[in-house]
Amino acid sequence: MVAHVIAKLMGPRESRLWGIVSMRKALLSGLAAALMVVSMPASAGTPKNILLETARPVPDAREVHVYVGQEEIAAEINPSQVSMVTGGGLLGALIDIQIQAERAKKAEAAIQPIRTALQGFDVDALAEASARSAIEKMPWFQPGEMTFSRDTSASGRIAVLDAARTSQVALITFVYDVSPDFSAIRVLMAVEFAPRDTPQGKSATWRLTNGIVYRQSVTSVVQLVRPATDINYNAGVWAENGGARARRALTLAFAKVAELAPRATLITQADAKAMNSKPHKAVVVAGFAGRQQDSDDGGTLLFNGGYVHIQTLEEQA
Amino acid sequence: MIRIRRAAGALALATASLALTAWVPAPVEIDAVFVDRVPEGYQKSKEPPAACAVNVVEVADLRRAKDTIGVVAGRSVKAPADTTAWLTSIMGGLNARGLAVVSDPARAQGANDITVRVGLKSVWLTAVSTNKAANVVLHIRAELAGRPPIDADYRGSLTNVNWASTKDELKNLTNAAFAEALNAIAPDLRRLCETPLQAPG
């Protein structure tokens, strides 16, 4: 219960980056951020999901910390909405908790065959390769030493900043999971640039909140061709042949976020406004809301403050 | 649209609350001593103890990042510093499942000794909405003279409601996941013990 309240207080975006909570919620928060961006007065400054050209160079270099806060693929559930529908209250919250507990148990049981099939498939290495590939596409990046960690918590990040040898640190966080209906495998890559030093009078967390230089996330969704409504059936499809489909989907998704993240750093405020404007249809695809952008690879590209790319996994003969 | 507005509200609240309170949950470290959750069936069982001793001659932490086992509701969960002691303690849980466990690599190999090598492939905790989940994978290589060896992964997992992400909650969840793995390991070791000696060649 308290954790539920804390999660709500922290908000989806922070919860996701410091633990693994709801990717969909997080993306919705991204959309919300984008909506806030376009409605913000000019005096509010540049939103954190826009990297100004002047903010690209750093005096020394950027240490790179790659985070994968999970050892295996995660399961996601749709949150229960009873308390929202009934206008809040303790009873509604307790019902939500009970419903979510049942959903989580079912999802965790259903995902086990996929986890077993993915044993020995080095997703951490995929994540590192994805981070390296993204960085190579940003010639201005000035990457320093790269490290790997599972500690995505605020305390862990603060410790990293405290120990940094460069004035700015790149925190690249990956989250990968199966959608609540098990029809898709998703990879989210969040890129943050945080200052090492805390100005006088600010708290250590300031570097991860108001002091953060840049925070953007991109997502790649890879769907099954013909998913069923039964999560156990879909899990079986991902898991069969030693998890062949799951392995391909993860490989595709990690490659796609490595392509989208550098592109996202080029978005200007004017671009964001244009991508959020009416000529781009507001759609919901694979559970993600956003404005549809052009995509030349057969998939669907949405913008909701960050990019979300959705593609279908081709069946191999 | 309602959901979008809620998300916007949550985001604004999150930024404001973090900026104002600077609240960061302190990490918790799991104890190296395994506290078992023995299944009821084993407690009530009249099954005689296995005729073999289980000698755990090697424990290895095969994980890549050994420091952190998860982040639950913003709280970092640290593995015990001494993972050898931790794994040895966990394997001791087989005692409560009808197997006599020793951890003595120097022990002279008896005819009824099962030699066990344990590898910790995975242990991780996560939050699933308002719940917390623990997953562990232990690799077991077990040998008993004249019998086909066991070379397999054993998985344990558990999901329950996350009330406050306290150390006790997180510790109990981790232990329960290991207990699930032990529940799967014990019958296989018993079967190995009961397998008739194979004639050579």
Side-chain angles (χ1 to χ4, degrees), chain B residues 159-177:
Chain B
T159 306
N160 57 29
V161 172
N162 185 28
W163 295 104
S165 311
T166 62
K167 181 176 177 177
D168 277 351
E169 266 190 87
L170 299 167
K171 189 177 67 181
N172 291 341
L173 180 73
T174 311
N175 284 333

Side-chain angles (χ1 to χ4, degrees), chain A residues 4 10 18 72 100 128 151, chain B residues 14 64 71 124 130 155:
Chain A
H4 185 59
M10 284 180 75
W18 296 345
E72 296 176 300
Q100 284 164 186
E128 282 181 312
D151 192 354
Chain B
R64 178 178 180 186
V71 177
W124 67 290
T130 44
R155 183 175 281 280

